[in-house]
Amino acid sequence: MLLLTPGPVMTRPEVRAALAQDIAPWDNDFKAVYLRVLERVLAVAGGIPGEHVTVPLQGAGHFITEAAIRTFVPLGGKILIPATGTYADRMVRLAREAGRVPVLLPITEDTPTDPLVVEAALEADPTISHVGVVYSETGSGLIHDAVAIGAAVRRAGRRMIVDAVSAFGALPMDISQQPEIDAVVFTANKCIEALPGISFAVAPVERLKQCAGQAGSWSLDLADIPTYNGRPRFTPPAQIVAAFDRALDFFDAEGGRVPRLARYTANMRTFYDGMVRLGLTPWLSHNRQGPIIVNIRVPNDPAWDLQRFVDALKAREVLISNFFNTPTPSFRVGCIGAIGPDDMSRAVAAMDSALKEIGITRREAACP
Ligand SMILES: *Cc1c(COP(=O)(O)O)cnc(C)c1O
């Protein structure tokens, strides 16, 4: 089966094989793996040992995003969140339910966030301490330039939390050049091509120390985790960490972030152009389309039924999401994971055939 969900992604058999062992999480053998993983993540983030630290947390991306908000934004504090789409909305909810005050910055969902608009919003409200940015908005497929937005946050003298869940390992990130960042957060199961179960934040050591105890939750206090000197605090998903370590071997063997981004971009281009050739309409224009996920507008044909399409594709060994996150109906296809352009071509052919099977004769978009 070709898994084209934008996380969890296709993994290599060697990565999955790393799960098949019993591990004692507090044993010295595992401790070495655990420390190595934290060091390797720090290097991918551009972190400087001693100045920045990798903080692991059990669980999904929402957990690490909430933990970063709780740790760095004080109770009752304000965080400005550009309304990039679904994942920005989720950050808003996480902040609100944690007793922080999210301030949604309206933007057009198919347009990259303008750093000057962020800067103006910060100047207009000096009580906002943080900006929360979704780097790669998995809802739309659009990239929001975390480097340029960060520069605006820095000029305004505020702090930034970056949801890099579907960006980390592919899009540029050098925390050593972005002193305004409090945390860059991501999970194992997207661009690093490992398995779900652990998430990470990379953060400045000094900021973590300053913010100790403000999370209002022991489990989600990122400042607490490094105080255990590289020992897991609570039972870690040890097999998942071992698989992550193995996935990093393949990341390094590929040549790291730049070649990985090039492969994902080639995947996206192959798929995007293939969809256009089939007469379908991508949700984003060619020049706005990011390399991580492509949304396709549903055909203007009464026979359209997303679940039937997904089932017909699955019968052709291609699995996509059976939901969408765009404002108008679409179907979503991930371009990330242990896959290449040939796989994307195979998906295009399968989609052509699946559309015919479910009786679609008009392929132009219902909502252009
Ligand atoms: C996948 C994703 C998340 C987190 O999802 P989980 O299901 O909690 O792991 C957060 N932000 C973005 C942009 C994502 O793509």
Side-chain angles (χ1 to χ4, degrees), residues 322-339:
N322 58 359
F323 61 91
F324 59 89
N325 283 323
T326 47
T328 57
S330 64
F331 63 88
R332 62 203 294 263
V333 174
C335 303
I336 57 177
I339 54 174

Side-chain angles (χ1 to χ4, degrees), residues 60-62 87 134 136 138 163 165-166 187 190:
H62 287 79
Y87 286 92
V134 181
S136 164
T138 316
D163 170 350
V165 177
S166 69
T187 62
K190 294 199 179 176

Side-chain angles (χ1 to χ4, degrees), residues 65 67-82 91 95 100-105 118-119 121-123 125-133 149-150 152-154 156-162 179-184 203-204 207-208 210-211 214:
T65 305
I69 292 169
R70 282 181 170 275
T71 301
F72 291 106
V73 183
L75 188 65
K78 283 190 191 171
I79 178 169
L80 181 76
I81 301 173
M91 201 189 261
R100 279 66 179 170
V101 182
V103 180
L104 200 62
L105 178 67
V118 173
E119 199 172 350
L122 293 176
E123 274 163 14
D125 186 347
T127 67
I128 295 172
S129 63
H130 282 76
V131 175
V133 169
I149 297 167
V153 174
R154 193 156 69 234
R158 316 300 165 85
R159 310 292 307 162
M160 183 159 82
I161 292 172
V162 185
E180 74 285 0
I181 291 181
D182 269 348
V184 176
R207 281 291 295 155
L208 273 171
Q210 286 166 11
C211 295
Q214 108 179 330

Side-chain angles (χ1 to χ4, degrees), residues 336-357:
I336 57 177
I339 54 174
D342 290 353
D343 295 307
M344 302 315 279
S345 298
R346 197 147 63 78
V348 171
M351 286 183 185
D352 190 23
S353 154
L355 286 171
K356 286 175 185 148
E357 183 193 309

